[in-house]
Amino acid sequence: MQPTITLNNGVTMPQIGLGVWQAKDGQEVETAVSSALASGYRLIDTAAVYGNESGVGRAIANSGIPREDIFITTKVWNADQGYDETLAAFDKSLERLGLEYIDLYLIHWPVPAKDKYIDTWRALEKLYSDGKVRAIGVSNFTIEYLERLLNETTVIPAVNQVELHPRLSQVALRSYCTEHAIAVESYSPLGGTGGDLLNEPLFSEIGQKYDKSAAQVVLRWHIQNSLVVIPKSVTPERIAQNIDIFDFELSSDDMARIAALNTNTRVGSNPETANFT
Ligand code: A2P
């Protein structure tokens, strides 16, 4: 069995999950989620804007796994920010997923230019107090936006999901989150689709010592940094490989050499300027 982490409200969350950004709704996402569940994954990370909540929901329903054994994350999209809009968007996500509750609901992007994330957060607090979500959190929040949320609202986010990998190790944000008991979740943990992080020779060099692939070495680095990690794949063999990382341990020297690859380089959008609707 894979490890879990305990969130700041006592809810436990699997430390590794399947990310489904860019997995097409229908057969592609259903096969990916089904094979992840069959490989032992119990955390699935989707979002309204991915357009694949229906397929994710079908795969969960068809798995025969008890609902309470699966941890589902989804996210409110930028165009739906605002108090009433978020409550309405949540109901639609729930309906598409075919679920009665969500385990973790996130604000997808802060969109500071809109200045609606505080109202949006109040809607998440309402969903949380109504028992429709087991935990609430944010995604793509910098220290500045977290600081404002902490100052102006009541519930401390359980999770901040951000782009994080060896080239963008987010050291300052991670220590801020740890200080405030906010779990950090890495997206694009392998350096993203079309990225070349996995070609870094250091990972194959380290992997040879443990008979593991570059992807397995990188995922193990996330786990040993106490991060929640959601590698994306639609390839069943890779999905199985990515969770087969609990039979080896990177040395502190391996960890330090990987950490030294940081160049603060993003593959995705910058949260301070991203303003897509
Ligand atoms: P695919 O979905 O075609 O299997 P990230 O999680 O950082 O966003 O990376 C996702 C990208 O990495 C996708 O292109 C995915 O391809 C690829 N990928 C996922 N797992 C592995 C793996 N074990 N080995 C190589 N590439 C992988």
Side-chain angles (χ1 to χ4, degrees):
M1 280 308 282
Q2 74 242 224
T4 57
I5 59 150
T6 303
L7 301 176
N8 61 18
N9 65 352
V11 166
T12 54
M13 176 175 189
Q15 210 186 338
I16 186 163
L18 180 75
V20 296
W21 183 43
Q22 293 174 327
K24 289 187 213 70
D25 199 19
Q27 201 55 52
E28 184 170 274
V29 80
E30 278 186 60
T31 304
V33 173
S34 300
S35 74
L37 293 171
S39 300
Y41 289 70
R42 290 297 177 266
L43 162 62
I44 308 293
D45 183 278
T46 185
V49 76
Y50 300 169
N52 57 21
E53 289 173 312
S54 306
V56 168
R58 274 194 300 276
I60 292 165
N62 292 337
S63 72
I65 297 169
R67 168 67 184 94
E68 63 272 21
D69 291 350
I70 304 181
F71 191 106
I72 305 296
T73 304
T74 192
K75 315 181 189 87
V76 56
W77 184 238
N78 303 347
D80 294 316
Q81 281 209 24
Y83 189 84
D84 293 332
E85 295 88 338
T86 296
L87 295 179
F90 176 82
D91 284 342
K92 286 188 192 148
S93 280
L94 211 53
E95 197 180 314
R96 283 189 294 264
L97 283 158
L99 299 175
E100 313 246 294
Y101 67 90
I102 299 293
D103 294 280
L104 177 64
Y105 198 44
L106 305 179
I107 300 181
H108 205 146
W109 290 87
V111 203
K114 277 193 171 187
D115 198 18
K116 283 190 175 178
Y117 64 81
I118 296 290
D119 284 347
T120 304
W121 186 251
R122 295 207 168 101
L124 265 60
E125 289 181 328
K126 164 87 174 135
L127 293 167
Y128 181 56
S129 64
D130 287 351
K132 292 182 175 173
V133 292
R134 296 175 66 226
I136 52 177
V138 294
S139 185
N140 297 298
F141 271 50
T142 62
I143 293 176
E144 179 190 340
Y145 310 136
L146 288 170
E147 198 90 311
R148 190 167 161 216
L149 213 56
L150 263 48
N151 284 334
E152 297 182 27
T153 67
T154 309
V155 179
I156 296 176
V159 170
N160 185 20
Q161 184 187 116
V162 294
E163 181 183 336
L164 202 161
H165 44 72
R167 288 185 185 148
L168 182 71
S169 56
Q170 304 268 26
V171 175
L173 182 61
R174 269 159 62 195
S175 71
Y176 178 90
C177 287
T178 304
E179 216 174 284
H180 294 274
I182 301 167
V184 180
E185 184 174 15
S186 310
Y187 78 73
S188 296
L190 301 172
T193 302
D196 65 351
L197 177 71
L198 295 179
N199 297 333
E200 184 66 55
L202 178 63
F203 302 133
S204 44
E205 183 202 318
I206 293 175
Q208 271 171 11
K209 286 198 291 181
Y210 306 104
D211 198 19
K212 291 287 171 180
S213 71
Q216 288 171 316
V217 169
V218 173
L219 293 170
R220 188 70 212 180
W221 175 83
H222 289 272
I223 294 288
Q224 288 182 220
N225 275 309
S226 304
L227 299 159
V228 178
V229 65
I230 44 166
K232 176 265 174 182
S233 179
V234 292
T235 315
E237 183 274 331
R238 288 176 170 170
I239 290 171
Q241 181 196 121
N242 291 347
I243 202 172
D244 181 19
I245 56 169
F246 299 105
D247 58 354
F248 78 112
E249 192 173 346
L250 297 173
S251 68
S252 52
D253 180 58
D254 298 330
M255 291 294 287
R257 290 176 75 202
I258 297 172
L261 295 175
N262 182 44
T263 50
N264 296 321
T265 311
R266 289 181 187 281
V267 291
S269 301
N270 183 334
E272 288 168 15
T273 48
N275 190 19
F276 22 70
T277 49

